[in-house]
Amino acid sequence: MNHIEESIKAFITKEFLHGDPGQALNENLVHSGIIDSLGILTLINFLEQQFNAAIEPEDVVLENFETIQAICNLVQLRTN
Amino acid sequence: MSKRLLLLNGLAALSLPFFHAAIYGFQAMFFWTNEYRPVTVPNYDQWGSLTYYILLTIRQLAGFSIPYFLFISGFFVAFMAGSQGNIPKPLLINRLRKLIPPLLIWTVVFFVLQGRLPRSIHELLRAYYYITLIIQLYLLSPWLVKAIRGNWKKVIFAATLLQIGFIALEYTAAFALKSPILQWIIRLTPIWFFPSRLFWFVVGVTISLNLKVVSQRLTPYSRHIVVALIVSAILSVVEYDIVDRLSGPDWLGTDFNGLWRNLFALMALLYGITASQIKLPWSAQITEIGNKSLAIYLLNSLVLYVVSSIIYHRFPAILGIQLIYQPLLIISGTIGPLLIMAAVKKSPLKPYYGLLFG
């Protein structure tokens, strides 16, 4: 889990926060505007490539992407 | 699916310089002809040539980018609404905060570069009409999402009728029908006003809300969609050509899109949802460019304006050689924005990167 969390944090920091995470990773990623329309697709693509997670259409809901923890849970669910 | 949608987004971003380069190509072909040949302008001697049809095909096919970006935005809005169907206000405000500063900054740059003030509100808002549209659509999205969740079939039917109405208006404008009511409707529904492109946003919201059902129902027809994509691409060129020939001696211009270009854009986005995979060379690079689509949208037309102005004033002979003129525009319109973004990241302007590019 820790490895997944660190990878996701590193990816979000690099892709959406221009390398400067600050406190942003503890916020709601969607509400704070960190993840936008393209961002959600980019993140799903990353999860599929990096963890071989089979993200299904029904998984693409707000609740699964609001926090790092929620994203980790989704990855665990879809890689098992 | 996300991979395919991202790849298509990259293609949509790459289409922008192709689209604008084709328009500059027409400009050189018909209205700047006197810069490289002893003729008066407008001059339509090259109308109907092979070069003309190549430019027309590029212009018709590359025009799927704005519908596609609106579709992706609608897709995301439905996602933001979550299972409750409510879009939190702070979230909307955050989106608008990201869109308004670049719109203001680059609109100012756009007119400063041209050394003049906008002649009308219409011209001012048309410069970056996609962002003007998306701001309106985001503001309307709480009601739109609610309506689509309530009865998506009715909303999509109404949006389709509206889109057909706009295509009909293009026809009336092409044939210069003089009805005062039609002229009044055309004036009241400019390209930057949300009804003109509402359809694509509604399709994005609808597909996002019904993603599983849509992908299950349409995937068996993915080959039919590919055929429809190719057919609509060809017919979009044929339709433009027929309307151009029937509508009078002057060139039809760049405001006419027609029915088949809209259908081509629709098939392109359905292809993104249903295709098992899309194999293209440089897929990774195209996808990466797609991540910068907003900045490419903001910057490519400025870069093209500068490059075409330099060519017009310093090397006018190139205007008559589209084989050189087009690659110059396309390459500068693609690489220029990427270089400007990279330069900003490495300059003291880095803290303002978000303000500049969203």
Side-chain angles (χ1 to χ4, degrees):
Chain A
M1 186 68 170
N2 202 30
H3 152 69
I4 294 174
E5 189 175 326
E6 290 311 313
S7 291
I8 293 170
K9 279 182 177 174
F11 177 77
I12 290 174
T13 303
K14 178 174 169 277
E15 288 292 320
F16 308 128
L17 299 168
H18 311 297
D20 179 19
Q23 293 299 309
L25 291 175
N26 300 322
E27 295 175 22
N28 183 314
L29 299 169
V30 182
H31 286 201
S32 59
I34 295 168
I35 297 179
D36 62 7
S37 50
L38 275 184
I40 189 66
L41 293 175
T42 308
L43 181 59
I44 293 170
N45 191 38
F46 167 74
L47 301 178
E48 288 175 338
Q49 303 282 315
Q50 182 76 13
F51 306 111
N52 218 13
I55 309 289
E56 300 292 334
E58 60 265 34
D59 296 328
V60 188
V61 290
L62 181 68
E63 292 76 5
N64 284 336
F65 295 91
E66 283 181 313
T67 61
I68 300 282
Q69 190 57 49
I71 300 168
C72 288
N73 292 341
L74 175 66
V75 169
Q76 280 215 316
L77 181 72
R78 290 307 182 190
T79 46
N80 287 335
Chain B
M1 187 181 70
S2 59
K3 196 175 179 180
R4 299 191 302 270
L5 290 178
L6 282 171
L7 180 58
L8 274 181
N9 192 69
L11 287 175
L14 273 178
S15 294
L16 291 167
F18 276 85
F19 181 83
H20 290 130
I23 290 173
Y24 274 105
F26 289 132
Q27 180 79 21
M29 195 175 256
F30 300 137
F31 305 105
W32 293 342
T33 331
N34 57 334
E35 299 297 323
Y36 54 89
R37 278 173 50 196
V39 293
T40 53
V41 288
N43 178 284
Y44 298 117
D45 288 352
Q46 295 171 77
W47 185 88
S49 64
L50 177 63
T51 311
Y52 167 79
Y53 280 112
I54 291 171
L55 288 184
L56 179 60
T57 304
I58 291 172
R59 186 257 178 191
Q60 291 298 89
L61 302 192
F64 89 99
S65 49
I66 298 298
Y68 189 79
F69 294 148
L70 290 169
F71 163 77
I72 291 288
S73 299
F75 190 92
F76 179 65
V77 156
F79 167 81
M80 286 198 302
S83 54
Q84 302 300 314
N86 295 319
I87 303 169
K89 265 188 189 167
L91 210 161
L92 271 182
I93 292 167
N94 264 327
R95 293 302 306 138
L96 297 178
R97 265 193 201 154
K98 281 201 163 191
L99 290 169
I100 291 172
L103 173 67
L104 295 176
I105 292 167
W106 294 107
T107 301
V108 169
V109 173
F110 181 85
F111 286 103
V112 167
L113 261 182
Q114 297 195 15
R116 64 182 180 89
L117 291 169
R119 285 181 281 263
S120 62
I121 290 284
H122 171 66
E123 199 186 27
L124 180 72
L125 295 174
R126 193 190 164 106
Y128 288 109
Y129 77 92
Y130 162 68
I131 302 184
T132 314
L133 276 175
I134 207 67
I135 288 171
Q136 296 167 72
L137 290 167
Y138 271 135
L139 288 171
L140 287 171
S141 59
W143 294 279
L144 276 174
V145 170
K146 211 173 189 179
I148 294 168
R149 285 176 73 94
N151 191 334
W152 68 268
K153 286 178 185 170
K154 270 188 185 169
V155 180
I156 208 133
F157 180 70
T160 306
L161 281 184
L162 193 64
Q163 192 67 18
I164 291 171
F166 276 99
I167 295 167
L169 277 182
E170 286 178 1
Y171 267 88
T172 64
F175 289 101
L177 298 181
K178 298 294 181 198
S179 157
I181 296 173
L182 284 174
Q183 296 300 321
W184 181 74
I185 295 173
I186 289 170
R187 266 202 308 278
L188 285 182
T189 51
I191 192 170
W192 49 264
F193 188 37
F194 77 90
S196 70
R197 298 290 185 276
L198 179 68
F199 174 77
W200 303 105
F201 193 78
V202 166
V203 170
V205 174
T206 306
I207 288 182
S208 182
L209 289 175
N210 302 284
L211 190 54
K212 191 179 177 186
V213 178
V214 170
S215 56
Q216 275 175 351
R217 290 212 180 149
L218 287 181
T219 299
Y221 299 103
S222 60
R223 280 170 188 244
H224 297 82
I225 290 171
V226 174
V227 173
L229 181 73
I230 296 165
V231 169
S232 56
I234 296 166
L235 289 180
S236 77
V237 177
V238 173
E239 181 189 28
Y240 183 97
D241 196 40
I242 290 173
V243 174
D244 194 9
R245 284 171 191 275
L246 295 178
S247 61
D250 286 345
W251 178 54
L252 182 56
T254 53
D255 284 340
F256 182 83
N257 296 313
L259 172 68
W260 287 98
R261 200 173 96 165
N262 280 278
L263 287 174
F264 171 73
L266 183 64
M267 290 307 139
L269 64 90
L270 290 182
Y271 180 56
I273 291 163
T274 58
S276 55
Q277 57 179 323
I278 303 175
K279 282 184 183 171
L280 282 178
W282 307 302
S283 289
Q285 288 82 355
I286 295 171
T287 301
E288 184 59 30
I289 285 173
N291 289 336
K292 301 173 176 69
S293 53
L294 184 63
I296 291 175
Y297 171 75
L298 290 163
L299 295 173
N300 87 90
S301 53
L302 297 177
V303 173
L304 287 191
Y305 176 77
V306 171
V307 173
S308 65
S309 296
I310 292 169
I311 291 172
Y312 178 91
H313 290 293
R314 301 283 175 197
F315 313 100
I318 292 177
L319 297 172
I321 313 168
Q322 298 278 349
L323 210 58
I324 298 174
Y325 187 43
Q326 285 297 308
L328 277 176
L329 292 177
I330 291 164
I331 291 167
S332 56
T334 308
I335 294 176
L338 300 177
L339 289 177
I340 293 170
M341 291 165 74
V344 167
K345 268 190 176 171
K346 288 181 180 171
S347 77
L349 287 173
K350 189 184 173 185
Y352 307 106
Y353 187 90
L355 276 182
L356 288 167
F357 305 119

